[in-house]
Amino acid sequence: MQLKVYYIEDEESLCENFKDYFSSAEVIVTTFSDPQTAIAHIQAHPPDLLFIDYRLSGTTGDKVAKLLEPKLPKFLITGDICFKTEFKFDGVISKPYDESAVASVISSHLSAKKTA
């Protein structure tokens, strides 16, 4: 059973790093550098888990999150020390993120999917 993980981040190199680090036989990672493309794709093909950067080109992660299915697990990734979000994320991961923090979230969702 595979877990579909999406990451929205407007810096291409960070998208590539995320995909390289977290992709595996059990985890299919898709990244998006354009928030509008991501929204359209997610609405048509929802993932099992979503990570969103806070500061995106022309918008913010919380504005994007509000447009998506409420039941979709969403984790905010941000380098901002002080930020204000009106959206209740399932978790917040500080940037630069510790790979083990992201891996832990992915692992717990993968385990939950296997037992469902």
Side-chain angles (χ1 to χ4, degrees), residues 52-73:
I52 309 173
D53 185 39
Y54 181 72
R55 292 199 183 275
L56 297 167
S57 181
T59 190
T60 60
D62 60 338
K63 290 178 182 174
V64 171
K66 288 179 187 178
L67 300 173
L68 303 174
E69 168 63 42
K71 293 180 184 178
L72 171 63

Side-chain angles (χ1 to χ4, degrees):
M1 183 165 295
Q2 294 180 319
L3 185 75
K4 290 192 310 184
V5 176
Y6 292 174
Y7 180 39
I8 306 172
E9 163 65 67
D10 56 359
E11 291 186 46
E12 287 283 341
S13 62
L14 295 178
C15 285
E16 290 172 23
N17 290 343
F18 190 95
K19 189 171 189 171
D20 289 345
Y21 194 83
F22 298 109
S23 292
S24 71
E26 293 183 306
V27 180
I28 306 304
V29 175
T30 304
T31 62
F32 301 90
S33 57
D34 176 59
Q36 298 308 317
T37 301
I39 292 166
H41 187 84
I42 291 167
Q43 289 172 338
H45 309 282
D48 299 306
L49 178 60
L50 177 65
F51 292 93
I52 309 173
D53 185 39
Y54 181 72
R55 292 199 183 275
L56 297 167
S57 181
T59 190
T60 60
D62 60 338
K63 290 178 182 174
V64 171
K66 288 179 187 178
L67 300 173
L68 303 174
E69 168 63 42
K71 293 180 184 178
L72 171 63
K74 300 171 197 75
F75 287 79
L76 184 68
I77 296 180
T78 183
D80 290 5
I81 294 172
C82 295
F83 64 94
K84 187 173 185 173
T85 178
E86 297 173 11
F87 186 83
K88 182 165 176 21
F89 286 90
D90 293 281
V92 177
I93 298 172
S94 295
K95 222 186 213 182
Y97 57 82
D98 178 359
E99 286 88 2
S100 64
V102 175
S104 177
V105 171
I106 291 172
S107 179
S108 69
H109 281 82
L110 182 59
S111 294
K113 185 171 183 175
K114 286 179 179 180
T115 59

